[in-house]
Coordinates of all heavy atoms in Angstrom, one line a residue:
T7 N 210.1 148.2 47.1 CA 209.3 148.4 48.3 C 209.0 146.9 48.8 O 208.9 146.0 48.0 CB 208.0 149.0 48.0 OG1 207.1 148.2 47.2 CG2 208.1 150.4 47.4
G8 N 209.0 146.7 50.1 CA 208.9 145.4 50.6 C 210.1 144.5 50.3 O 210.0 143.3 50.2
G9 N 211.3 145.1 50.2 CA 212.5 144.4 49.8 C 213.2 143.7 51.0 O 214.2 143.0 50.9
N10 N 212.6 143.9 52.3 CA 213.2 143.4 53.4 C 212.6 142.0 53.8 O 213.1 141.3 54.7 CB 212.9 144.2 54.7 CG 211.5 144.4 55.0 OD1 210.7 145.0 54.2 ND2 211.1 143.8 56.2
A11 N 211.6 141.5 53.1 CA 211.0 140.2 53.5 C 210.4 139.5 52.3 O 210.2 140.1 51.2 CB 209.9 140.5 54.5
G12 N 210.1 138.2 52.5 CA 209.4 137.4 51.5 C 209.9 137.5 50.1 O 211.1 137.5 49.8
L13 N 209.0 137.7 49.1 CA 209.4 137.7 47.7 C 210.3 138.9 47.4 O 211.3 138.8 46.7 CB 208.1 138.0 46.9 CG 208.2 138.1 45.4 CD1 208.6 136.8 44.7 CD2 207.0 138.7 44.8
G14 N 210.1 140.0 48.0 CA 211.0 141.2 47.8 C 212.4 141.0 48.3 O 213.3 141.4 47.6
A31 N 213.2 150.2 50.6 CA 212.2 151.1 51.3 C 211.2 150.4 52.1 O 210.5 149.5 51.6 CB 211.5 151.9 50.2
G32 N 211.1 150.7 53.4 CA 210.2 149.9 54.3 C 209.9 150.7 55.5 O 210.5 151.7 55.8
R33 N 208.9 150.2 56.2 CA 208.3 151.0 57.3 C 209.0 150.7 58.7 O 208.9 151.5 59.5 CB 206.8 150.6 57.4 CG 206.5 149.1 57.6 CD 205.1 148.8 57.6 NE 204.9 147.4 57.6 CZ 203.7 146.7 57.6 NH1 202.6 147.4 57.8 NH2 203.7 145.4 57.4
N34 N 209.6 149.6 58.7 CA 210.3 149.3 60.0 C 211.8 149.4 59.9 O 212.4 148.5 59.4 CB 209.9 147.8 60.5 CG 210.4 147.4 61.8 OD1 211.4 147.9 62.2 ND2 209.7 146.5 62.4
T37 N 214.1 146.3 60.8 CA 214.1 145.0 59.9 C 214.7 145.4 58.5 O 215.3 144.6 57.9 CB 212.7 144.5 59.7 OG1 211.8 145.5 59.4 CG2 212.2 143.8 61.0
L58 N 209.7 154.2 54.6 CA 208.5 154.3 53.8 C 207.3 153.5 54.4 O 207.5 152.2 54.5 CB 208.8 153.8 52.4 CG 207.6 153.6 51.5 CD1 206.9 155.0 51.1 CD2 208.0 152.9 50.2
D59 N 206.4 154.1 54.8 CA 205.1 153.4 55.1 C 204.1 153.8 54.0 O 203.6 154.9 53.9 CB 204.6 153.9 56.5 CG 203.3 153.2 56.9 OD1 202.7 152.5 56.0 OD2 202.8 153.4 58.0
L60 N 203.8 152.8 53.2 CA 202.9 153.0 52.0 C 201.5 153.4 52.4 O 200.7 153.9 51.6 CB 202.9 151.7 51.2 CG 204.1 151.5 50.3 CD1 204.2 150.1 49.9 CD2 204.1 152.5 49.1
S61 N 201.1 153.1 53.7 CA 199.8 153.4 54.0 C 199.6 154.8 54.5 O 198.6 155.3 55.0 CB 199.3 152.5 55.1 OG 199.9 152.7 56.4
S62 N 200.8 155.6 54.5 CA 200.7 157.0 54.9 C 201.2 157.8 53.8 O 202.3 157.7 53.3 CB 201.6 157.2 56.1 OG 202.1 158.6 56.2
C90 N 207.4 148.1 42.7 CA 206.3 148.3 43.6 C 205.8 146.9 44.1 O 204.9 146.4 43.4 CB 205.3 149.0 42.9 SG 205.7 150.8 42.3
N91 N 206.5 146.4 45.0 CA 206.4 145.0 45.4 C 205.7 144.8 46.8 O 205.0 143.8 47.0 CB 207.7 144.3 45.5 CG 207.7 143.0 46.2 OD1 207.2 142.0 45.7 ND2 208.1 143.0 47.4
A92 N 205.7 145.8 47.7 CA 205.1 145.6 49.1 C 203.6 145.4 48.9 O 203.0 145.9 47.9 CB 205.4 146.8 49.9
G93 N 203.1 144.6 49.8 CA 201.6 144.4 49.7 C 201.2 143.6 51.0 O 202.0 143.0 51.7
A94 N 199.9 143.7 51.3 CA 199.5 143.0 52.5 C 197.9 142.8 52.4 O 197.2 143.4 51.6 CB 199.7 144.0 53.7
F96 N 194.5 142.3 54.9 CA 194.1 142.8 56.2 C 192.8 142.0 56.6 O 191.7 142.4 56.3 CB 193.8 144.3 56.2 CG 195.1 145.1 56.0 CD1 195.5 145.4 54.7 CD2 195.9 145.5 57.0 CE1 196.7 146.1 54.4 CE2 197.1 146.2 56.8 CZ 197.5 146.5 55.4
T113 N 197.4 150.8 51.2 CA 198.7 150.2 51.2 C 199.1 149.7 49.8 O 200.2 150.0 49.2 CB 198.9 149.0 52.2 OG1 198.4 149.6 53.4 CG2 200.2 148.5 52.2
N114 N 198.3 148.9 49.2 CA 198.6 148.1 48.0 C 198.5 149.0 46.8 O 199.3 148.8 45.9 CB 197.7 146.9 47.8 CG 197.9 145.9 48.9 OD1 198.7 146.1 49.8 ND2 197.2 144.8 48.9
T138 N 204.2 144.3 41.5 CA 203.8 142.9 41.9 C 202.3 142.8 42.1 O 201.7 143.4 42.9 CB 204.5 142.5 43.2 OG1 205.9 142.7 43.1 CG2 204.3 141.0 43.5
A139 N 201.7 142.1 41.1 CA 200.3 142.0 41.1 C 199.9 140.7 41.7 O 200.6 140.1 42.6 CB 199.7 142.1 39.6
S140 N 198.7 140.1 41.4 CA 198.3 138.8 41.9 C 197.2 138.2 41.0 O 196.3 139.1 40.6 CB 197.9 139.0 43.3 OG 197.1 137.8 43.7
G141 N 197.3 137.0 40.8 CA 196.2 136.3 40.0 C 194.9 136.4 40.7 O 193.8 136.2 40.0
Y181 N 191.6 142.6 48.9 CA 192.9 142.4 48.4 C 192.9 142.2 46.9 O 193.7 142.9 46.2 CB 193.4 141.1 49.1 CG 194.8 140.7 48.5 CD1 195.9 141.3 48.9 CD2 194.9 139.6 47.7 CE1 197.2 140.9 48.4 CE2 196.1 139.2 47.2 CZ 197.3 139.8 47.6 OH 198.5 139.4 47.0
K185 N 194.5 144.6 43.8 CA 195.4 144.2 42.7 C 194.9 144.5 41.4 O 195.6 144.6 40.5 CB 195.7 142.7 42.9 CG 196.5 142.3 44.2 CD 197.9 142.9 44.2 CE 198.8 142.6 45.4 NZ 200.0 143.2 45.3
F211 N 203.6 141.8 37.2 CA 204.1 140.5 37.5 C 203.3 139.8 38.6 O 203.1 140.4 39.7 CB 205.6 140.6 38.0 CG 206.1 139.3 38.5 CD1 206.3 138.2 37.7 CD2 206.7 139.3 39.7 CE1 206.8 137.0 38.2 CE2 207.2 138.1 40.3 CZ 207.2 137.0 39.5
D212 N 202.8 138.6 38.3 CA 202.1 137.8 39.3 C 203.1 136.7 39.8 O 203.4 135.8 38.9 CB 200.8 137.2 38.7 CG 200.3 136.1 39.7 OD1 200.6 136.1 40.8 OD2 199.5 135.3 39.2
P213 N 203.5 136.7 41.0 CA 204.5 135.7 41.4 C 203.9 134.3 41.7 O 204.6 133.3 41.8 CB 205.0 136.3 42.8 CG 203.9 137.1 43.3 CD 203.2 137.7 42.1
G214 N 202.5 134.2 41.6 CA 202.0 132.9 41.9 C 201.9 132.7 43.4 O 202.5 133.5 44.2
L215 N 201.1 131.8 43.8 CA 200.9 131.5 45.2 C 202.2 131.1 45.9 O 202.8 130.0 45.4 CB 199.8 130.4 45.5 CG 199.5 130.0 46.9 CD1 198.8 131.2 47.6 CD2 198.6 128.8 47.0
I216 N 202.6 131.7 47.0 CA 203.8 131.4 47.7 C 203.5 131.4 49.2 O 203.7 132.5 49.9 CB 205.0 132.4 47.4 CG1 205.1 132.6 45.9 CG2 206.3 131.8 48.0 CD1 206.2 133.8 45.6
P217 N 203.0 130.3 49.8 CA 202.5 130.4 51.1 C 203.6 130.6 52.2 O 203.3 130.9 53.4 CB 201.9 129.0 51.4 CG 201.8 128.4 50.0 CD 202.8 129.0 49.2
E218 N 204.8 130.4 51.8 CA 206.0 130.6 52.7 C 206.3 132.1 53.1 O 207.0 132.3 54.1 CB 207.3 130.1 52.1 CG 207.4 128.5 52.0 CD 206.4 128.0 50.8 OE1 206.1 128.8 49.9 OE2 206.1 126.9 50.9
T219 N 205.7 133.0 52.4 CA 206.0 134.5 52.8 C 205.1 134.9 53.9 O 204.3 134.1 54.4 CB 205.8 135.4 51.6 OG1 204.3 135.5 51.4 CG2 206.4 134.9 50.3
G220 N 205.3 136.1 54.3 CA 204.4 136.6 55.5 C 203.1 137.1 55.0 O 202.3 137.6 55.9
L221 N 202.7 136.8 53.8 CA 201.4 137.4 53.3 C 200.3 136.8 54.1 O 199.2 137.5 54.3 CB 201.2 137.1 51.9 CG 200.1 137.9 51.2 CD1 200.6 139.5 51.0 CD2 199.8 137.5 49.8
T222 N 200.4 135.6 54.6 CA 199.3 135.0 55.3 C 199.3 135.2 56.8 O 198.6 134.6 57.6 CB 199.3 133.4 55.1 OG1 200.6 133.0 55.4 CG2 199.0 133.1 53.6
R223 N 200.1 136.2 57.2 CA 200.3 136.5 58.7 C 199.0 136.8 59.4 O 198.9 136.5 60.6 CB 201.4 137.6 58.9 CG 200.9 139.0 58.6 CD 202.1 139.9 58.7 NE 202.8 140.0 57.5 CZ 203.8 140.8 57.3 NH1 204.2 141.7 58.3 NH2 204.5 140.9 56.2
L252 N 209.3 130.8 46.3 CA 210.1 131.9 46.7 C 211.4 132.1 45.7 O 211.6 133.2 45.3 CB 210.6 131.7 48.1 CG 210.8 133.0 49.0 CD1 209.7 134.0 48.8 CD2 211.0 132.5 50.4
Ligands
LIG401 N1 202.8 135.2 48.8 C1 201.9 135.1 47.9 O1 201.3 134.0 47.8 C2 201.6 136.1 46.8 C3 200.9 135.9 45.7 C4 200.6 136.9 44.7 C5 201.1 138.1 45.0 N2 201.8 138.4 46.1 C6 202.3 139.7 46.3 O2 203.7 139.8 46.5 C7 204.1 140.9 47.2 C8 205.1 140.6 48.2 O3 204.4 139.9 49.3 P1 205.0 138.6 50.1 O4 204.2 137.5 49.7 O5 206.5 138.7 49.9 O6 204.6 139.0 51.6 P2 205.4 139.4 52.8 O7 206.4 138.4 53.1 O8 204.4 139.7 53.9 O9 206.1 140.7 52.4 C9 205.4 141.9 52.2 C10 206.4 143.1 52.3 O10 205.5 144.3 52.1 C11 205.9 145.2 53.2 N3 204.8 146.0 53.6 C12 203.6 145.7 54.0 N4 202.9 146.8 54.3 C13 203.6 147.9 54.1 C14 203.5 149.3 54.3 N5 202.3 149.8 54.7 N6 204.5 150.1 54.0 C15 205.7 149.6 53.5 N7 205.9 148.2 53.3 C16 204.9 147.4 53.7 C17 206.3 144.3 54.3 O11 207.0 145.0 55.3 P3 207.1 144.6 56.9 O12 208.2 143.6 56.9 O13 207.4 145.8 57.6 O14 205.7 143.9 57.2 C18 207.1 143.3 53.6 O15 208.4 143.7 53.3 C19 202.9 141.6 47.7 O16 202.5 142.6 46.8 C20 201.8 140.5 47.5 O17 200.5 141.0 47.4 C21 202.1 137.4 47.0

Side-chain angles (χ1 to χ4, degrees):
T7 69
N10 64 291
L13 177 74
R33 58 185 166 175
N34 183 334
T37 52
L58 168 71
D59 178 354
L60 284 159
S61 71
S62 156
C90 296
N91 165 75
F96 297 87
T113 306
N114 296 356
T138 304
S140 164
Y181 175 77
K185 294 298 184 179
F211 169 62
D212 167 24
L215 179 69
I216 314 170
E218 290 74 20
T219 71
L221 197 70
T222 51
R223 73 184 88 174
L252 209 46

